[in-house]
Amino acid sequence: PPSPPDSVTVEEVTDSTAQLAWSPGRDNGSPITNYIIQTKTPFTVGWQRVNTVPEVIDGNTLTATVVDLNAWVEYEFRVLAKNGVGVGEPSPVLVKTRTEDAVPDAAPGDVGGGGGSRYELVITWE
């Protein structure tokens, strides 16, 4: 399998995307066919494959945009290379990158209230 990709960097971050760039590691005699990007957050168990643009990152592409991220969350990214022999070891983990904050996209629903004691009102919402 190929060596880990080198020099992985986060080029640009928004509230829902992160653009990554890297340089290829050694292909070890079998051309790199594609790259896989994985992420980990404080809310996930282990590393998860993520959605990217382009959807399939071919062996000649050295940048990709990770999409469908959540706002104001710390992400760790790593890149793996694949060739005809298999998937190589992951790149070194980047420092944690926080997506930007964003305004809520919907108002709270099912707002209700009542009860409580004197000088207290309990309000609930989803």
Side-chain angles (χ1 to χ4, degrees), residues 19-36:
Q19 183 177 354
L20 275 62
W22 59 90
S23 58
R26 293 184 321 277
D27 65 11
N28 293 330
S30 178
I32 294 171
T33 56
N34 63 300
Y35 290 97
I36 299 163

Side-chain angles (χ1 to χ4, degrees), residues 8-22 35-41 47-57 61-71 73-80 91 94 97-100:
V8 178
T9 57
V10 177
E11 303 282 311
E12 185 178 337
V13 177
T14 70
D15 61 337
S16 62
T17 66
Q19 183 177 354
L20 275 62
W22 59 90
Y35 290 97
I36 299 163
I37 298 176
Q38 296 177 334
T39 187
K40 184 168 72 168
T41 74
W47 290 93
Q48 309 289 322
R49 191 169 182 163
V50 291
N51 294 326
T52 59
V53 173
E55 190 174 332
V56 176
I57 308 165
T61 301
L62 300 176
T63 63
T65 301
V66 179
V67 296
D68 301 330
L69 299 176
N70 293 311
V73 173
E74 282 188 340
Y75 287 89
E76 293 177 84
F77 297 100
R78 69 184 189 180
V79 181
L80 299 90
S91 63
L94 293 176
T97 302
R98 185 186 298 271
T99 50
E100 295 182 356

